[in-house]
């Protein structure tokens, strides 16, 4: 593989669920690539953004089905990989940070045990070595007194700290791609930015690819290079984050205008008028 | 006359050595028809103030006068006719096995409202849900629709004061806009007084005229939204909040 090949290459991805009333398409034929960049995926609930993130790691449970013309992680086909190989990929080359640290940390293991386990699952290192690296990573995510934190249980840490521990755990095996699915929506505004700053810094320093899934367009615009906007399982628009203000699709504009803004007060907020044509319009390709 | 007058309110949980003060010596007033916002991070005690007003926390001291009534340890029935509350999570605040019709009619029966049948129709219209929603169960509604039902329930007995505890934080931005517009309209139509808790300064700035900024159970500062917009916050914590929230690109 040459190094300028995309880390993640997705073409015509579909996620389907068989239901009693027929087939429901959660993701309908989207294409995108992810290089060593920060890609934001934005949409409302039900737009298929989280499903896209999960499909990349083949984390869709039956009756859900994944189908794609191409789904490759660094040139390796995900669709045909064995379950054993997938376990190596998950966490090893591609890590995922979920929304709420309360549910994604194991409540009956100390933070240290979990960090060491995460690393040793992917690398043959001794416990002592793993512990040392866990300490170093905790330090990187700005956790004071990491020695003490290693011996704490998840319920003994705050939400913001829990999410930083998650980030540390996900970064320990040195993955190439980080998928962050609403990493801060369970956190307070004041901690949100701090956690994002840390994540952003680490991703840039290590030259990783970041897939940032969020419903908050403003947040994504601030932390990403490129933005993909999803509606009803399709990509309706893609643009550089710096050019978001020139976005043209009425859905994107609607999302932007519906956010109340302290600086620019309005009497009434704009309400999104949904056009059925958006649903039918073909997906825009976000390949680069 | 002010709708809400709170003096030296302290709320605590636990007792003896375990006692933790969630709200410490807070005083504020909300005028009739005003909309007052409470902001702060989680654990700062903002929701606890609302819950203390609504009578959901028995352990408090200080003086609270709400809608002309000086509050004691128990709330009277007439109090709940004047003061209602909308909760954060519309998925948790509606009974999963009661239809919209039952949710609303129960609230009205409790307050002896007559003419329930026509009122339900009107309430549903008021909150932007058609009559088709009347016999649905919560699981058949989206998050925004549920929050509309919760708002309809709060309005069922024609209250003067509505306490809003993060009414839109569980919703998408596009749905949040709809609910905020609805709250603005209802306030005008019914001459309501709002006290709203939120961690989103944009939301509070949109709906409220004055804002109380809380940290660790105390008021750091009370200022008008105008002053906040002009960045005239004095307390460093308010400034910090402002910095972390102003990131809109439009």
């Amino acid at each position: 593989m040459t190094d300028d090949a995309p880390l993640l290459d997705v073409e015509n991805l579909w996620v389907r669920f068989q239901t009693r009333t027929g087939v429901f398409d959660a993701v309908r034929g989207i294409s995108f690539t992810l290089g060593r960049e920060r890609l934001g995926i934005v949409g409302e609930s039900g737009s298929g953004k989280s499903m896209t993130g999960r499909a990349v790691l083949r984390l869709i449970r039956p009756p859900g089905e994944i189908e794609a013309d191409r789904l490759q992680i660094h040139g390796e086909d995900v669709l045909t990989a064995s379950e054993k190989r997938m376990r190596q990929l998950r966490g090893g080359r591609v890590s995922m940070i979920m929304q709420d640290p309360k549910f994604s940390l194991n409540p009956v293991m100390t933070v240290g045990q979990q960090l060491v386990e995460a690393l040793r699952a992917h690398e043959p290192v001794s416990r002592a070595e793993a512990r040392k690296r866990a300490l170093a990573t905790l330090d990187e995510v700005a956790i004071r007194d990491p020695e003490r934190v290693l011996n704490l249980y998840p319920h003994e840490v705050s939400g913001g700290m829990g999410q930083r521990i998650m980030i540390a755990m996900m970064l320990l095996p040195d993955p190439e791609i980080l998928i962050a699915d609403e990493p801060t929506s369970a956190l307070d505004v004041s901690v949100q930015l701090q956690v994002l700053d840390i994540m952003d810094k680490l991703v840039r320093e290590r030259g990783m690819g970041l897939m940032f899934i969020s419903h908050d367009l403003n947040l994504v615009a601030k932390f990403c290079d490129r933005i993909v906007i999803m509606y009803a399982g399709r990509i309706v628009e893609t643009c550089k984050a710096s050019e978001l203000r020139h976005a043209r699709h009425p859905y994107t504009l609607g999302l932007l205008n519906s956010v109340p803004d302290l600086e620019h007060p309005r009497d009434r907020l704009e309400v999104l008028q949904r056009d059925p044509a958006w649903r039918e319009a073909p997906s825009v390709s976000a390949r680069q | 006359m002010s709708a809400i007058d709170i003096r030296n309110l302290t709320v605590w949980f636990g007792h003896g050595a375990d006692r933790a003060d969630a709200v410490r010596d807070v005083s504020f007033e909300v005028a009739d028809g005003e909309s007052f916002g409470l902001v702060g991070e989680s654990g700062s005690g903002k929701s606890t103030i609302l819950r203390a007003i609504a009578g959901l926390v028995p352990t408090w001291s200080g003086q609270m006068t709400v809608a002309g009534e000086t509050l004691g340890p128990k709330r009277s029935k007439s109090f709940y006719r004047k003061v209602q509350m909308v909760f954060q999570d519309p998925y948790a605040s509606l009974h999963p096995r009661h239809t919209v019709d039952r949710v609303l009619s129960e609230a009205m029966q409790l307050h002896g409202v007559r003419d329930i049948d026509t009122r339900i129709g009107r309430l549903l219209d008021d909150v932007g849900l058609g009559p088709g929603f009347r016999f649905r169960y919560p699981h058949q509604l989206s998050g925004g629709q549920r929050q509309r039902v919760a708002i309809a329930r709060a309005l069922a007995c024609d209250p003067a004061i509505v306490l809003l505890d993060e009414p839109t934080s569980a919703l998408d931005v596009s749905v949040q806009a709809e609910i905020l517009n609805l709250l603005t309209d209802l306030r005008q139509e019914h001459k309501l007084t709002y006290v709203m808790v939120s961690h989103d300064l944009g939301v509070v700035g949109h709906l409220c005229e004055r804002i109380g900024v809380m940290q660790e159970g105390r008021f750091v500062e009370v200022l008008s939204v105008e002053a906040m917009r002009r960045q005239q916050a004095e307390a460093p914590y308010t400034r910090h909040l402002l910095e972390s929230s102003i990131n809109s690109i439009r």
Side-chain angles (χ1 to χ4, degrees), chain A residues 44-45 188 262-263 268-269, chain B residues 42 172 174 181 185 229 246:
Chain A
E44 294 171 274
S45 5
D188 268 331
L262 189 66
E263 280 177 291
R268 291 192 71 76
L269 297 167
Chain B
S42 22
D172 270 325
S174 50
N181 281 342
D185 292 344
R229 225 164 253 152
I246 295 180

Side-chain angles (χ1 to χ4, degrees), chain A residues 106-122:
Chain A
N106 187 339
V108 293
M109 278 170 84
T110 63
V111 169
Q113 284 169 335
Q114 295 184 53
L115 285 168
V116 167
E117 186 194 38
L119 182 57
R120 278 167 54 98
H122 294 285

Side-chain angles (χ1 to χ4, degrees), chain A residues 68-117:
Chain A
D69 289 353
R70 191 183 314 147
L71 181 52
Q72 292 178 338
I73 294 173
H74 220 145
E76 191 172 342
D77 192 14
V78 172
L79 291 172
T80 56
S82 66
E83 207 37 56
K84 186 173 170 219
R85 179 67 191 142
M86 278 317 291
R87 280 199 297 275
Q88 291 170 346
L89 285 178
R90 292 179 194 133
R93 304 194 81 164
V94 187
S95 282
M96 193 159 179
I97 297 175
M98 308 272 190
Q99 184 168 351
D100 198 335
K102 275 202 288 276
F103 299 116
S104 41
L105 290 170
N106 187 339
V108 293
M109 278 170 84
T110 63
V111 169
Q113 284 169 335
Q114 295 184 53
L115 285 168
V116 167
E117 186 194 38

Side-chain angles (χ1 to χ4, degrees), chain B residues 184-202:
Chain B
T184 312
D185 292 344
L186 290 172
R187 185 178 157 209
Q188 247 165 25
E189 272 168 47
H190 298 263
K191 311 252 175 300
L192 297 170
T193 305
Y194 285 158
V195 181
M196 173 150 109
V197 162
S198 178
H199 62 265
D200 187 333
L201 279 180

Side-chain angles (χ1 to χ4, degrees), chain A residues 226-243:
Chain A
R226 207 149 60 91
I227 301 181
V228 163
I229 291 131
M230 285 186 74
Y231 179 75
R234 290 200 170 141
I235 298 178
V236 293
E237 189 164 21
T238 164
C239 64
K240 284 208 178 109
S242 50
E243 286 160 17

Side-chain angles (χ1 to χ4, degrees), chain A residues 1-44:
Chain A
M1 280 310 293
T2 51
D3 219 39
D4 42 289
L7 294 174
L8 186 64
D9 192 342
V10 180
E11 197 169 310
N12 197 19
L13 171 73
W14 288 76
V15 177
R16 294 199 177 91
F17 288 88
Q18 303 281 349
T19 64
R20 260 179 297 176
T21 49
V23 180
F24 174 74
D25 299 318
V27 178
R28 304 186 296 159
I30 65 167
S31 305
F32 65 93
T33 55
L34 175 74
R36 297 191 185 280
E37 60 176 340
R38 297 166 296 166
L39 177 73
I41 299 189
V42 191
E44 294 171 274

Side-chain angles (χ1 to χ4, degrees), chain B residues 66-228:
Chain B
V66 177
E69 215 173 298
T70 304
L71 303 182
K74 276 211 166 160
R75 304 286 181 276
S76 65
K77 203 166 164 183
S78 64
F79 172 82
Y80 287 115
R81 233 187 135 142
K82 289 180 282 191
V83 183
Q84 283 288 321
M85 186 154 171
V86 176
F87 295 91
Q88 176 172 10
D89 188 355
Y91 295 88
S93 60
L94 295 176
H95 195 300
R97 297 183 71 167
H98 285 186
T99 59
V100 171
D101 178 77
R102 181 152 172 203
V103 164
L104 298 179
S105 54
E106 191 170 297
M108 285 191 258
Q109 268 160 14
L110 282 172
H111 292 285
V113 176
R114 257 172 275 165
D115 211 10
I116 289 179
D117 193 54
T118 45
R119 265 192 67 83
I120 288 184
R122 221 177 46 235
L123 271 174
L124 286 177
D125 273 347
D126 271 359
V127 296
L129 294 171
F133 286 93
R134 182 159 174 181
F135 294 100
R136 290 214 199 167
Y137 286 95
H139 73 265
Q140 296 168 310
L141 304 173
S142 70
Q145 288 165 345
R146 286 180 208 217
Q147 202 57 303
R148 284 171 194 266
V149 173
I151 292 171
R153 175 177 59 186
L155 295 178
C157 52
D158 253 332
I161 299 169
V162 181
L163 309 173
L164 303 161
D165 188 0
E166 305 243 17
T168 61
S169 62
L171 307 174
D172 270 325
V173 275
S174 50
V175 184
Q176 166 173 296
E178 291 172 22
I179 298 290
L180 288 178
N181 281 342
L182 172 69
L183 288 171
T184 312
D185 292 344
L186 290 172
R187 185 178 157 209
Q188 247 165 25
E189 272 168 47
H190 298 263
K191 311 252 175 300
L192 297 170
T193 305
Y194 285 158
V195 181
M196 173 150 109
V197 162
S198 178
H199 62 265
D200 187 333
L201 279 180
V203 169
V204 173
H206 179 74
L207 206 67
C208 303
E209 287 101 49
R210 273 193 317 138
I211 298 179
V213 182
M214 291 193 71
Q215 189 184 23
E216 287 172 15
R218 284 182 222 280
F219 268 7
V220 181
E221 194 168 8
V222 178
L223 73 172
S224 71
V225 169
E226 268 310 307
M228 210 158 205

